[in-house]
Amino acid sequence: MVSTVLNANLATRFRNFFTTRDFIFHDGRDLKRFSVAGRTQALLAGIAAITVTFSAYGVSQAAFGAVMASGIAGEAVTPEAKLAKMRNEMAQMEADVEAVKQAAQLHAARVEQRQKIIAGVLTGKGSPDDVGEPVPAADLTGDSAMAREVLAPLRKVEARQAKLAEQARKTAQIRIHLTTSHLRSLGIKPERYVAGGMGGPFEPVSSEAAAAAASSATTAAETSADAQFRSLFQTWQKLDVLEQTVISIPSMQPVENVKLTSSFGVRSDPFHGSAAMHAGVDIPGPLGTPIYATADGVVGRAGRFGGYGNLITVNHGKGIETRYGHLSKILVASNTRVRRGQLIGLMGSTGRSTGSHLHYEVRIDGAAVNPMPFMQNANVLDQIQQRATRVQLTAAAGN
């Protein structure tokens, strides 16, 4: 009821304000009179109001633009600001592209290195020293769609390599088992040449440090592959050490035709007839029969030495030494390197000897061992040595 009365009052006031008005003006000669109806006045007032409203809107927009340009609103939209923003976006894009590029290069290097490791284990060519430690996984923070697209082919190759790595590791383990078995059959402990084992006190790591360590690899699959190739690389190192060790093991006959007149061990002394220890084997032959080095090494003694007569000792490394006694002629000098199969002297009967023969010894850490297993396993050791020699030649060719 109140609102109805109020509306009626407003309408009455509006009609009273816009009543018919008469206007009189002088045009210079006559007085003229005209009237403006209330409805016309209301229409003109509305037009004026609309004009003022649009003018106010234009002023407000101009004021808002000035505020934005001055930076008061917190975001600049000037041409210079837009250019700076574009430059920042371009710089970020370039940084992302560079990160992907470096990650791709790292992945490619890792693929190439892993291929060398697999080939080295399976073929016996190359050595762990040539390849170096395995390349770690690329740490690409915030793996983008661009990175995933670029690295996808390389990751597929790495997945196939991971399968081959397991096969290569099994092959290497078989070769290690065969090599260690042959070494033990010769009375040589492989453990003295291959250092193995890991340890240390247990110290728990914080969750933050563990998370940081885990984030260094792009994916769990890459982490597993890294561990797999580290294991394969360590197995290859162990195999390489063992096969290089075999190079120092006497593995051929010191003369072409071998027959024995005295074996290794306790025997009846040829001069006194009493029991005595014989530290080697006696191989008879004509005076001047060629004598060959049975493994690579460095000549220690080359001259007269007690009951040995003219004696040559060759140090093969790893605590292994061979001795060649009763020679008629020495063809090498002390402190010179000799190769397996190299002619080093001629058979004779110097020293404590009853006739022309070669007294041949093999010693490990100074203790005499039976030379016969070394000569009897010559073919097996030859195969191992040939693989080790190929590794040396490949490494030399790469330098």
Side-chain angles (χ1 to χ4, degrees):
M1 182 68 181
V2 175
S3 61
T4 303
V5 174
L6 182 60
N7 291 336
N9 290 335
L10 289 175
T12 301
R13 290 180 181 179
F14 184 80
R15 285 194 296 272
N16 292 335
F17 184 79
F18 292 105
T19 59
T20 302
R21 288 181 171 82
D22 295 329
F23 295 92
I24 299 174
F25 70 95
H26 192 276
D27 62 358
R29 292 185 301 172
D30 299 319
L31 289 174
K32 293 187 177 180
R33 176 186 177 187
F34 66 92
S35 298
V36 179
R39 182 173 295 179
T40 303
Q41 293 178 41
L43 179 61
L44 293 174
I47 294 173
I50 293 174
T51 303
V52 171
T53 300
F54 275 103
S55 298
Y57 176 76
V59 171
S60 65
Q61 288 296 311
F64 178 76
V67 169
M68 295 299 291
S70 64
I72 297 175
E75 182 180 355
V77 291
T78 62
E80 292 80 6
K82 291 181 178 179
L83 182 60
K85 184 178 180 181
M86 291 176 62
R87 286 175 177 171
N88 290 337
E89 292 175 351
M90 286 295 296
Q92 182 61 45
M93 186 179 297
E94 290 176 356
D96 292 343
V97 171
E98 182 62 25
V100 173
K101 178 181 176 182
Q102 292 180 359
Q105 290 175 342
L106 187 60
H107 272 271
R110 188 170 60 170
V111 166
E112 182 179 2
Q113 185 193 55
R114 287 179 173 181
Q115 194 62 32
K116 289 182 179 179
I117 293 175
I118 294 172
V121 172
L122 294 178
T123 66
K125 296 180 180 179
S127 72
D129 293 337
D130 299 330
V131 176
E133 291 293 331
V135 177
D139 184 9
L140 193 60
T141 305
D143 199 2
S144 63
M146 181 192 302
R148 289 192 294 270
E149 182 178 355
V150 172
L151 300 179
L154 293 173
R155 285 174 175 165
K156 289 181 179 178
V157 173
E158 289 178 333
R160 291 195 294 268
Q161 286 181 328
K163 295 180 181 179
L164 289 174
E166 180 59 22
Q167 298 176 8
R169 189 188 65 81
K170 292 179 180 179
T171 300
Q173 290 289 1
I174 293 174
R175 286 170 58 186
I176 288 174
H177 175 72
L178 292 175
T179 304
T180 55
S181 297
H182 287 304
L183 290 176
R184 288 193 177 95
S185 69
L186 299 174
I188 300 174
K189 295 181 179 180
E191 293 77 13
R192 64 180 293 177
Y193 305 114
V194 180
M198 300 173 65
F202 173 75
E203 295 184 11
V205 65
S206 65
S207 58
E208 292 81 3
S215 64
S216 62
T218 306
T219 64
E222 287 185 346
T223 303
S224 175
D226 283 342
Q228 191 175 27
F229 272 92
R230 281 195 298 270
S231 176
L232 176 61
F233 185 76
Q234 292 168 357
T235 302
W236 188 21
Q237 286 179 314
K238 181 177 181 180
L239 176 63
D240 183 67
V241 170
L242 284 173
E243 291 187 341
Q244 293 301 321
T245 298
V246 173
I247 293 179
S248 66
I249 297 176
S251 58
M252 65 173 289
Q253 299 175 353
V255 297
E256 290 186 1
N257 299 311
V258 174
K259 58 182 180 179
L260 303 182
T261 55
S262 186
S263 301
F264 174 85
V266 178
R267 68 170 183 175
S268 175
D269 182 78
F271 289 93
H272 298 119
S274 59
M277 178 64 189
H278 187 226
V281 293
D282 290 341
I283 305 173
L287 189 69
T289 299
I291 307 299
Y292 304 99
T294 54
D296 294 358
V298 177
V299 176
R301 183 185 300 274
R304 193 89 179 182
F305 186 66
Y308 286 97
N310 290 330
L311 174 69
I312 296 175
T313 64
V314 180
N315 178 13
H316 304 284
K318 312 296 185 181
I320 300 175
E321 178 189 73
T322 51
R323 296 184 178 185
Y324 311 81
H326 308 308
L327 303 178
S328 62
K329 189 173 184 178
I330 294 174
L331 302 177
V332 292
S334 298
N335 299 317
T336 57
R337 179 168 292 278
V338 294
R339 308 293 295 181
R340 177 177 180 271
Q342 179 178 334
L343 178 65
I344 58 175
L346 302 178
M347 189 180 292
S349 186
T350 57
R352 194 169 183 270
S353 171
T354 60
S356 178
H357 74 284
L358 169 69
H359 175 81
Y360 176 62
E361 293 182 13
V362 176
R363 291 179 177 259
I364 299 177
D365 293 333
V369 297
N370 189 355
M372 290 307 297
F374 293 87
M375 293 188 287
Q376 292 170 348
N377 285 275
N379 292 335
V380 176
L381 292 174
D382 275 349
Q383 295 174 5
I384 300 174
Q385 286 181 335
Q386 287 171 8
R387 287 197 298 266
T389 302
R390 283 200 304 269
V391 170
Q392 289 185 333
L393 292 175
T394 302
N399 292 336

